[in-house]
Amino acid sequence: MNARHRQQHSGRVTRPGSGIAAPSGRSALAGSSRPASSESLRILFYSNAPFAPTGYGTQTAQLVPRLIQEGNEVAIHAMYGIEAVPSMWNGIKMYPRGMAPYSDDVVTAHWMDWSNGNKNLPPLLMTLFDVWVLKSTSLDIIPNIASWVPIDHAPCPPEVVAFCQRKNVKPIAMSQFGKRMLEAQDVECLYAPHGIEDVFKPTAKWSNGQQELTGRQIMGIPDDKFVVMMNSANKGVNPSRKSFAENILAFAIFAQTRPDAILYLHTESMGSMGGINLMHLLEACGLKPEQYKIIDQYAYRMSVPQGALAAIYSAADVLLACSMGEGFGIPVVEAQACGTRVIVSDYTAQPELVGSGWKVETQPFWDAAQKAWFCTPQVPSIVDALRASYEAPSRADQAAVAFASQYSADRVYEAHWKPIMKELSAWCRSSSSQS
């Protein structure tokens, strides 16, 4: 792993009942953490590894240290990003993924191992991922599960509803849309949106330690071009949730009369991560190589520093982020924090995240696997939004920056996570007293 992640492999595996001393729960953050209090919990956080270049990974890296600083003892079950042996990240224990695709074969064992390390604190399993993938019956023995759950369909898919209705689960919606969908199924839930760190702000230049580079220099695009940026994970084929086909076709139509327009794709290009081959799609849409730029694929896989990404957002003229549905949609907030307007589908969580930009028309798309509706963003409506963005002022949009400030990680933690953790603590202690 990259040394900047400060990840260290311990070289041993602990198993419930193995007789090996369990971890203490102390970490490199302990010096700045509050001592354990009457509300502290022993938490296993199930999600992507905190250094994974994914939305879940960035939220794990953001929330876990704050939970520790408030006096909780937290370990991470990295169901994506760590394999074979436990590891450490910034002094925080990380458990590896299991053999099942989403690691529900080991999540209960990891929870047992971690919770047995300090019997003085009530244990809690927190999940940040799709809950419909958690099918193991062993989850029934965990008394308290708090699931920060994405809802990207309407209505809420039946399997998601069923999980959130379990007596040992408290769902936490990550969007107001998700909250409405759960409540429409008579599922009580809490609410905490995703957050962004302060690095996302209008950024003229980024330093790589040797030189300062503008966002255009990082992208390799001249200053006189109109840059339409996409920052979407290329995963999934049937359907392709990020609507690459509709977005790219709309850009191709728009670019027919805008010779200075260029599409910047901040994603994997060949479908090697379970997505679609974007090179075939770009050709099918009639785009020439000089009309698009794709991030260096090795740099993308190794993870682009957030400061560099902020400079790229700042140098783009608009973020094109229409999709079939979103649980949240963190790039939309990141881009606006950098002063860049956005284009999204008028569906699920997407419209609530727009402070400065455009919402495009959609039509329903039946997702048979989830038994609920996605949407298809309409190409003509995307073209209209691109044309409107082309006519907008080119300077950093302060309305976008001001809107995005409500999603500052510190503000989100103070306004949402502190009261949530207080409620979760009371719930866990009530369960402990009854057992």
Side-chain angles (χ1 to χ4, degrees):
M1 282 294 173
N2 194 311
R4 70 185 177 86
H5 296 139
R6 288 173 285 182
Q7 177 189 352
Q8 300 171 350
H9 289 285
S10 64
R12 67 182 180 90
V13 179
T14 57
R15 298 181 176 86
S18 66
I20 299 174
S24 68
R26 304 298 288 171
S27 78
L29 292 166
S32 60
S33 303
R34 297 180 182 177
S37 70
S38 60
E39 295 181 348
S40 297
L41 298 171
R42 180 87 167 175
I43 301 169
L44 180 67
F45 195 89
Y46 165 96
S47 190
N48 290 182
F51 46 76
T54 63
Y56 292 133
T58 59
Q59 294 306 297
T60 299
Q62 183 183 113
L63 181 57
V64 167
R66 287 174 169 85
L67 291 173
I68 293 173
Q69 288 165 1
E70 289 296 310
N72 299 290
E73 295 182 357
V74 189
I76 298 168
H77 176 186
M79 44 75 72
Y80 170 76
I82 290 292
E83 195 163 1
V85 295
S87 302
M88 300 292 288
W89 174 78
N90 290 354
I92 300 169
K93 184 179 178 68
M94 293 198 303
Y95 289 88
R97 57 167 295 178
M99 298 300 292
Y102 300 103
S103 299
D104 63 339
D105 59 328
V106 294
V107 62
T108 299
H110 287 339
W111 171 83
M112 290 172 64
D113 184 70
W114 180 248
S115 61
N116 285 337
N118 186 350
K119 299 267 188 176
N120 294 319
L121 294 181
L124 172 68
L125 174 65
M126 293 185 72
T127 70
L128 171 57
F129 202 74
D130 291 301
V131 295
W132 59 267
V133 306
L134 297 172
K135 301 182 184 300
S136 173
T137 56
S138 68
L139 291 165
D140 293 340
I141 72 172
I142 301 177
N144 301 97
I145 303 174
S147 290
W148 198 10
V149 56
I151 309 293
D152 55 8
H153 290 72
C156 190
E159 289 186 59
V160 176
V161 173
F163 186 92
C164 292
Q165 286 177 330
R166 296 168 69 148
K167 292 182 178 180
N168 62 338
V169 171
K170 272 195 181 294
I172 305 168
M174 61 180 63
S175 70
Q176 293 290 355
F177 168 83
K179 186 172 185 289
R180 293 195 302 273
M181 290 300 101
L182 286 169
E183 290 174 344
Q185 300 295 326
D186 296 322
V187 177
E188 293 184 5
C189 64
L190 304 169
Y191 164 72
H194 284 188
I196 59 172
E197 299 290 4
D198 292 341
V199 67
F200 291 104
K201 59 187 176 183
T203 304
K205 293 183 179 181
W206 170 75
S207 174
N208 63 5
Q210 298 177 334
Q211 58 180 329
E212 288 191 335
L213 301 169
T214 67
R216 294 294 177 103
Q217 288 173 322
I218 297 170
M219 289 187 282
I221 296 176
D223 289 338
D224 61 351
K225 294 292 186 179
F226 179 83
V227 178
V228 177
M229 177 182 178
M230 286 191 70
N231 180 15
S232 302
N234 184 11
K235 297 180 180 179
V237 174
N238 188 24
S240 175
R241 186 172 64 83
K242 295 298 185 177
S243 300
F244 283 103
E246 290 78 12
N247 284 305
I248 293 176
L249 179 57
F251 173 82
I253 296 170
F254 161 75
Q256 289 175 355
T257 56
R258 304 293 190 280
D260 59 333
I262 189 167
L263 179 65
Y264 177 71
L265 294 167
H266 191 88
T267 190
E268 194 278 321
S269 64
M270 301 299 291
S272 60
M273 298 171 66
I276 63 176
N277 189 313
L278 295 181
M279 305 310 297
H280 294 166
L281 178 58
L282 290 162
E283 182 179 0
C285 291
L287 287 171
K288 300 175 182 178
E290 61 269 22
Q291 291 180 292
Y292 61 84
K293 197 82 173 181
I294 302 174
I295 184 174
D296 178 88
Q297 294 296 278
Y298 184 75
Y300 181 75
R301 290 200 185 191
M302 292 300 102
S303 180
V304 175
Q306 288 190 330
L309 183 57
I312 293 171
Y313 279 133
S314 300
D317 290 287
V318 68
L319 178 75
L320 181 56
C322 302
S323 74
M324 303 184 78
E326 295 288 345
F328 188 77
I330 198 69
V332 172
V333 177
E334 292 173 344
Q336 289 177 100
C338 296
T340 299
R341 300 174 186 87
V342 297
I343 301 173
V344 305
S345 299
D346 193 6
Y347 190 63
T348 60
Q350 298 168 82
E352 71 189 68
L353 301 182
V354 179
S356 184
W358 299 267
K359 307 163 193 175
V360 309
E361 297 174 359
T362 67
Q363 72 176 37
F365 176 97
W366 178 247
D367 184 356
Q370 292 292 324
K371 305 178 185 69
W373 294 98
F374 264 152
C375 80
T376 300
Q378 296 297 282
V379 171
S381 187
I382 301 174
V383 174
D384 289 343
L386 286 168
R387 288 171 177 163
S389 71
Y390 188 86
E391 301 301 326
S394 59
R395 62 183 179 276
D397 189 280
Q398 293 306 312
V401 176
F403 175 84
S405 66
Q406 67 183 294
Y407 296 102
S408 160
D410 287 334
R411 290 181 65 174
V412 167
Y413 193 86
E414 288 292 323
H416 299 283
W417 281 111
K418 281 192 174 181
I420 284 175
M421 294 311 299
K422 190 178 185 69
E423 182 169 338
L424 292 179
S425 176
W427 178 51
C428 291
R429 281 171 166 76
S430 174
S431 299
S432 298
S433 65
Q434 295 173 15
S435 59

